[in-house]
Amino acid sequence: MFEELISFCKNRGFVYQSCSLYGGLQGFYDYGPLGVELKNKIKQSWWNEMVKRRSNVFGIDSNIILSDKVLSSSGHLDGFEDVFKDCRNCKSRFRIDEVKDVCLNPKCGSRDFTPEKAFNLMMKVNVGPTEGNYAYLRPETAQGIFINFKNVMDSFSPKLPFGIAQIGKAFRNEVTPKNFILKTREFEQMEMEFFIKPGDNDYYFEQLKEQRKQWWNKQGVEVVFYEQGKDELAHYSKKTTDIMCDFEGTLQELEGIADRQDFDLGSHTKAQSEFDIKAKVKPNTTSIDKLSHFQEKLIPHNIEVSAGVERAFLAILYSAYKKDGDRTVLKLPAHLAPFKAAIVPIVKNKEDIVSCAQGVFDKLQDAGILDVKFELTGNVGKSYAKHDEIGTLYCISVDHESVKDGTLTIRDRDTREQSKISIDKLIELLR
Ligand code: ATP
């Protein structure tokens, strides 16, 4: 089923291998006409839930390229590493947490490995015309949030607790990109950092965990929690729960919820000794501002929720992709369907029917219903099958009767039931 879904993504215009014209670039993917619609809708659903519906959460959009000073203070320059070793026989590369004594390549099985080597996952870029002036593509969107904490406080003076959120690209030079779009070198994150008074950590951690689970359920994805062991925690985290989804018997992480304590603001602040910082932070001699909260005069702690857009994309498709007798149907929740409706003239060579259908299409557009496709195949059955497969909620067929009295036939994606409907009722329904 996973393999079938990968071909489906390519054939139906959701996801393409990047640079495939030149043999492909490993760990990078492009999104096609339907993929970009689904991706945008996932991001919009997250933004609505995490920013628009919360009066104490502020959205931002910070730079992708970060100075080495930011990433030195955040711990990424020293600690954001994977350790790997190569099989000397077949040259396959493995992260050491993936492989024990025997090469995992089923055709190899050698026990002869190179010594282990640490590898920083960040991608370096040269900024400006002077060679050697390095910065980095951000490995997480979170750092852009922490370095804008003071800006948001200066502009809005929010009381604790409050959050700052953003959606954007992140880059990790993964040693072994794998599982299609689940582990790539360029991806997008949807992150919210929730700043709280020290001591409120467990309360907000649990609250956010539940809220995030409900969001996943609304996207049609069943999830379970996995609490990381002490030896699995990232350098910034005191406690992390991953939200996992079952892909063919294997649990994969979709989102991490982490109690980062005061590690981040504590790491980026100047005058660290003036505050009672709980986390273990590196001395900071380069920051030029204090990151304490104005009224509270303390460094807030923060709970992070961090989900991957591509993992959400695949989990949503995987959960929605169904076989129903002889048809394939993508049972996406209504707010995620790339098209709400397809307008299908029953023939393509009768001018009155085609122009009546065009009129229906135009009226929907004028009413602000834009996720509609004009489907001029002249074959109603084929159009239904095609739109079931890409998740379109309704097919609206236009025939002689429609030309005469304006009635349309609406067919439901999930039940396949058909009934008559007027254009006004259709507009109401799609709204
Ligand atoms: P994993 O170990 O499962 O690759 P992680 O624990 O390193 O991920 P985090 O640093 O917690 O991931 O990042 C938060 C989220 O960002 C993840 O839950 C995931 O959805 C997404 N993410 C992280 N790395 C990648 C990647 N290489 N490709 C796609 N999405 C990713």
Side-chain angles (χ1 to χ4, degrees), residues 172 174 182-184 187 189 253-256 306-308 311:
R172 294 182 188 177
E174 299 285 358
L182 283 182
K183 201 179 214 19
T184 54
F187 54 97
Q189 289 185 313
E253 176 187 329
L254 302 180
E255 171 163 4
S306 171
R311 291 191 191 178

Side-chain angles (χ1 to χ4, degrees), residues 2 26-29 31 82 95 97-98 121 172-187 252-253 310-311 314:
F2 199 65
Q26 204 195 357
F28 296 89
Y29 290 89
Y31 287 77
D82 268 353
R95 273 189 5 214
D97 57 329
E98 293 172 337
L121 297 179
R172 294 182 188 177
N173 214 351
E174 299 285 358
V175 173
T176 48
K178 60 182 176 188
N179 291 335
F180 189 39
I181 55 171
L182 283 182
K183 201 179 214 19
T184 54
R185 291 178 167 140
E186 172 175 343
F187 54 97
Q252 303 279 359
E253 176 187 329
E310 290 74 7
R311 291 191 191 178
L314 199 63

Side-chain angles (χ1 to χ4, degrees), residues 22-171:
Y22 293 95
L25 186 58
Q26 204 195 357
F28 296 89
Y29 290 89
D30 294 334
Y31 287 77
L34 295 184
V36 68
E37 291 296 334
L38 177 56
K39 231 180 170 194
N40 285 341
K41 286 180 170 156
I42 294 169
K43 290 189 272 185
Q44 192 60 55
S45 168
W46 187 92
W47 195 257
N48 288 346
E49 172 69 27
M50 301 306 292
V51 182
K52 300 260 188 205
R53 294 184 57 179
R54 294 167 194 249
S55 53
N56 62 349
V57 176
F58 301 84
I60 62 161
D61 183 17
S62 73
N63 259 353
I64 285 173
I65 292 182
L66 287 176
S67 105
D68 55 351
K69 290 196 184 102
V70 172
L71 294 159
S72 169
S73 298
S74 69
H76 285 87
L77 270 185
D78 302 330
F80 199 58
E81 291 176 336
D82 268 353
V83 182
F84 68 89
K85 57 186 182 180
D86 293 335
C87 168
R88 281 208 168 96
N89 184 38
C90 73
K91 313 288 180 228
S92 299
R93 176 159 290 179
F94 302 101
R95 273 189 5 214
I96 51 149
D97 57 329
E98 293 172 337
V99 68
K100 290 214 154 44
D101 304 331
V102 183
C103 175
L104 295 179
N105 177 351
K107 292 195 189 122
C108 178
S110 163
R111 291 169 174 271
D112 189 11
F113 288 99
T114 59
E116 293 172 5
K117 214 171 151 191
F119 174 71
N120 193 299
L121 297 179
M122 287 197 299
M123 294 198 190
K124 218 176 193 176
V125 286
N126 198 75
V127 178
T130 314
E131 191 56 41
N133 191 13
Y134 294 122
Y136 294 85
L137 302 185
R138 63 185 177 196
E140 57 177 20
T141 57
Q143 294 309 318
I145 293 178
F146 302 128
I147 58 176
N148 277 289
F149 172 83
K150 176 99 187 348
N151 292 333
V152 173
M153 265 208 320
D154 286 346
S155 310
F156 300 95
S157 311
K159 291 203 174 85
L160 291 176
F162 74 93
I164 305 180
Q166 81 166 321
I167 297 178
K169 292 266 186 185
F171 298 81

Side-chain angles (χ1 to χ4, degrees), residues 269-284:
T269 194
K270 79 167 191 180
Q272 288 165 316
S273 59
E274 289 177 18
F275 304 101
D276 178 23
I277 299 173
K278 288 271 172 302
K280 205 166 152 236
V281 295
K282 253 185 15 182
N284 189 328

